[in-house]
Amino acid sequence: MSTPEEVWRKDLKIVRGYPMIHAFVLNWDMIEQFQSKPDDLVITTYPKSGTTWISEIVDMVLNDGNVEKCKRDVITTRVPMLELSVPDTRLSGIELLKTAPSPRIIKTHLPIDLLPKSFWENNCKMIYLARNAKDVAVSYYHFDLMNKIQPLPGTWEEYLQKFLAGNVAYGSWFDHVKSWWEKKDGYPILFLYYEDLKQNPKAEIKKIASFLGKTLDEETLDRIIHHTSFEVMKDNPLVNYTHVPTVMMDHSKSPFMRKGVVGDWKNYFTVSQNENFDAIYKKKMSGTSLKFCTDL
Ligand code: PPS
């Protein structure tokens, strides 16, 4: 039996070709065999794409914009992360999901190949939120500085090379977004963009409501927009991850709710890093109709 300390800052482990967080792999059989329910709703993202944001929005939509109901618990309990597991702690997505009331909202970053088969068999509804790769890389770098279940990121330059090569937890951003984009045509998957949510939250929240079979009036929509704005979420201890023990997430290294903007990458990428990134991006994204915006 491992202890939490034994999994801090460990190298990633490969699971069926994908680099994965060491602590999570210790529990992999349970993840593969996970049994979904037909009314489960899956929130799926590449890390740092706005998962917490959309999780709070979905919980608000399902609760008809009732802020009090969304204060019933921390976001990690209201929307458990399927693959999360830290030895010898109470942090286990699968354990939380055993007692979560239906319809369950389940968070995951798993690539399509690693998502438990049961979700496909039950044709569960899924919401995929995608964010532009440059801002994801910057956000992920800062997250890896503060989150001890991830390996240390190294310098920004070193990290950017690892990110581009897909040598970060959950593998390549390119493969992740492309495969989920293709998958959406055959399954009930609502594919959304962080940048659209930022630019026009009302239109995107309406899409989410319609996907979930809800009709919300203007007042409710405005309340959801306000409650899930970056400024409000940053100060909400139920969603800003300050409830996670500091020994695991050290917000003094970088807060979880860091900036919440589109285009912060410009503060980190050098001209040559940007040129190299664009060249690789062009190659990897050729042939896909996916379009990202990196500036608002
Ligand atoms: S995780 O750890 O992968 O689940 O992280 P995730 O929640 O996907 O992504 C964290 C980034 O999302 C930003 N965020 C928001 N942006 C806009 N509005 C709201 N309400 C919001 N909530 C979280 C958060 O700040 C992280 O992005 P960066 O760029 O690091 O600020």
Side-chain angles (χ1 to χ4, degrees):
M1 179 68 169
S2 305
T3 62
E5 292 71 26
E6 285 174 51
V7 297
W8 296 154
R9 299 302 186 190
K10 273 279 176 75
D11 287 345
L12 301 170
K13 273 190 136 178
I14 303 295
V15 178
R16 292 211 256 125
Y18 293 90
M20 193 51 62
I21 292 173
H22 182 99
F24 300 177
V25 178
L26 302 171
N27 200 30
W28 209 259
D29 286 352
M30 303 268 287
I31 291 164
E32 276 189 342
Q33 288 153 23
F34 181 79
Q35 289 304 304
S36 69
K37 297 179 184 174
D39 62 354
D40 283 343
L41 171 68
V42 184
I43 292 180
T44 155
T45 58
Y46 189 82
K48 311 322 288 178
S49 300
T51 331
T52 316
W53 186 16
I54 197 136
S55 297
E56 187 69 355
I57 290 174
V58 165
D59 196 34
M60 280 290 276
V61 168
L62 289 176
N63 285 292
D64 302 302
N66 187 322
V67 173
E68 288 311 308
K69 284 194 183 161
C70 295
K71 285 185 186 160
R72 68 192 180 285
D73 217 326
V74 289
I75 194 72
T76 47
T77 302
R78 282 181 284 140
V79 183
M81 179 177 175
L82 176 68
E83 64 272 22
L84 176 83
S85 161
V86 180
D88 212 17
T89 69
R90 290 188 301 132
L91 294 169
S92 159
I94 291 194
E95 284 307 310
L96 283 168
L97 286 165
K98 281 183 187 161
T99 53
S102 288
R104 302 182 297 188
I105 318 172
I106 304 175
K107 160 183 170 175
T108 185
H109 298 310
L110 291 176
I112 285 187
D113 295 345
L114 297 186
L115 193 77
K117 293 211 169 23
S118 173
F119 288 110
W120 306 115
E121 288 160 2
N122 273 325
N123 210 29
C124 293
K125 280 190 184 179
M126 306 189 193
I127 298 178
Y128 187 89
L129 182 66
R131 186 182 192 187
N132 81 79
K134 291 180 181 178
D135 281 330
V136 166
V138 170
S139 182
Y140 213 168
Y141 167 72
H142 287 91
F143 186 60
D144 286 2
L145 285 174
M146 64 89 75
N147 181 7
K148 277 204 198 148
I149 60 170
Q150 293 272 5
L152 276 166
T155 63
W156 162 242
E157 168 61 22
E158 286 163 352
Y159 185 77
L160 189 58
Q161 295 315 317
K162 284 196 280 184
F163 180 87
L164 282 167
N167 290 332
V168 292
Y170 299 95
S172 155
W173 175 92
F174 302 98
D175 295 346
H176 206 281
V177 293
K178 283 192 296 185
S179 58
W180 279 98
W181 176 249
E182 281 159 25
K183 195 78 175 175
K184 76 178 183 352
D185 296 332
Y187 290 89
I189 300 173
L190 178 67
F191 196 103
L192 301 172
Y193 295 91
Y194 178 101
E195 294 75 19
D196 289 346
L197 200 51
K198 196 78 198 168
Q199 192 165 33
N200 192 347
K202 191 171 279 184
E204 300 309 297
I205 295 171
K206 277 186 184 170
K207 283 186 200 165
I208 296 168
S210 157
F211 183 67
L212 300 177
K214 290 267 181 188
T215 312
L216 305 174
D217 59 28
E218 285 294 307
E219 196 190 320
T220 306
L221 283 166
D222 288 339
R223 193 161 54 251
I224 296 176
I225 292 168
H226 174 74
H227 178 76
T228 61
S229 66
F230 180 75
E231 291 68 30
V232 172
M233 282 186 62
K234 190 176 173 64
D235 289 339
N236 179 352
L238 299 172
V239 298
N240 66 13
Y241 276 79
T242 50
H243 70 285
V244 175
T246 322
V247 66
M248 180 169 154
M249 284 191 183
D250 184 351
H251 293 250
S252 71
K253 298 272 193 312
S254 176
F256 185 94
M257 294 287 169
R258 203 179 54 87
K259 289 194 186 166
V261 296
V262 178
D264 187 41
W265 61 271
K266 289 183 210 156
N267 296 315
Y268 292 88
F269 281 62
T270 63
V271 171
S272 90
Q273 283 171 344
N274 196 34
E275 284 169 1
N276 179 44
F277 195 103
D278 285 346
I280 292 171
Y281 190 94
K282 203 171 161 198
K283 269 194 212 149
K284 298 255 188 198
M285 297 299 272
S286 72
T288 168
S289 53
L290 257 173
K291 291 263 174 302
F292 283 90
C293 136
T294 53
D295 200 4
L296 282 186

